[in-house]
């Protein structure tokens, strides 16, 4: 695990955020620990990403890190922009893995049964701040003229569709990833 310190710190960040979110009493220490580990996870993740993806283990550790940080984004204040950043990572890392014929450890992650199993937990999620959703939509719409290649247009359209789902509910926004 030491070679995948980005995943270790992401897991510590999510754990601290989850404990803090489910505690009856606010804990500034836990919130600070969550952000500290999140920053380290992102720092180490960016280094690993810059070095390139080379092995099955490395690719899956990077993908797991994106998912862990994505879910932590739900638990932190004003986390929508961070959420969208890691949505992008959850798409780009598998694309890199696929281009190198690396297998996915999480191949059943997106089955309809698995998505439906998460629905009860996601239905209790707090609503996303609609001003953040408005700002995200405005930014994504402004990107459209800059998208020249078909893949850029598809990613921009998909992200805009995902963000618009948050107008319905946090659960719909999260499930639209799948």
């Amino acid at each position: 695990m030491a070679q995948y310190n980005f995943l270790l710190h992401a897991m510590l960040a999510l754990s601290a955020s989850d404990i803090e979110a489910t505690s009856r009493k606010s804990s500034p220490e836990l919130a600070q620990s969550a952000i500290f580990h999140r920053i380290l996870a992102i720092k180490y993740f960016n280094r690993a990403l810059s070095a390139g993806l080379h092995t099955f283990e490395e690719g899956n550790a990077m993908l797991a890190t994106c998912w862990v940080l994505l879910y932590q984004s739900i638990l932190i204040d004003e986390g929508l922009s961070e959420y969208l950043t890691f949505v992008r990572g959850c798409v780009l890392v598998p694309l890199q893995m696929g281009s190198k014929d690396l297998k996915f450890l999480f191949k059943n992650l997106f089955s309809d049964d698995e998505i439906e199993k998460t629905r009860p937990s996601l239905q209790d999620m707090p609503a996303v701040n609609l001003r953040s959703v408005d700002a995200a939509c405005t930014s994504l719409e402004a990107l459209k003229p800059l998208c020249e290649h078909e893949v850029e247009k598809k990613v921009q359209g998909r992200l805009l569709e995902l963000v618009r789902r948050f107008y319905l509910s946090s659960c719909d926004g999260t499930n639209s990833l799948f």
Side-chain angles (χ1 to χ4, degrees), residues 106-123:
F106 307 105
K107 60 186 171 195
N108 294 325
L109 184 63
F110 304 117
S111 72
D112 289 339
D113 289 344
E114 295 304 316
I115 293 168
E116 282 308 309
K117 285 180 190 175
T118 66
R119 187 168 293 283
S121 299
L122 295 175
Q123 296 222 342

Side-chain angles (χ1 to χ4, degrees), residues 67-139:
W67 280 104
V68 170
L69 292 172
L70 174 84
Y71 281 111
Q72 187 202 14
S73 299
I74 295 167
L75 298 172
I76 59 178
D77 290 337
E78 304 298 321
L80 182 59
S81 63
E82 298 241 356
Y83 180 89
L84 293 173
T85 298
F86 287 102
V87 165
R88 185 172 161 250
C90 291
V91 171
L92 294 178
V93 171
L95 285 175
Q96 281 190 0
M97 290 175 70
S99 72
K100 296 182 180 194
D101 286 330
L102 299 174
K103 302 293 180 215
F104 296 101
L105 184 61
F106 307 105
K107 60 186 171 195
N108 294 325
L109 184 63
F110 304 117
S111 72
D112 289 339
D113 289 344
E114 295 304 316
I115 293 168
E116 282 308 309
K117 285 180 190 175
T118 66
R119 187 168 293 283
S121 299
L122 295 175
Q123 296 222 342
D124 293 333
M125 286 175 36
V128 172
N129 179 327
L130 292 182
R131 285 185 299 201
S132 297
V133 177
D134 291 339
C137 283
T138 300
S139 295

Side-chain angles (χ1 to χ4, degrees), residues 31-90:
Q32 184 178 12
S33 179
I35 296 302
F36 172 78
H37 286 290
R38 183 179 184 83
I39 290 168
L40 285 177
I42 293 169
K43 175 183 166 184
Y44 293 133
F45 181 78
N46 284 337
R47 278 189 197 159
L49 206 53
S50 294
L53 200 152
H54 306 290
T55 67
F56 162 83
E57 292 84 5
E58 188 176 51
N60 283 286
M62 286 180 174
L63 184 55
T65 299
C66 285
W67 280 104
V68 170
L69 292 172
L70 174 84
Y71 281 111
Q72 187 202 14
S73 299
I74 295 167
L75 298 172
I76 59 178
D77 290 337
E78 304 298 321
L80 182 59
S81 63
E82 298 241 356
Y83 180 89
L84 293 173
T85 298
F86 287 102
V87 165
R88 185 172 161 250
C90 291

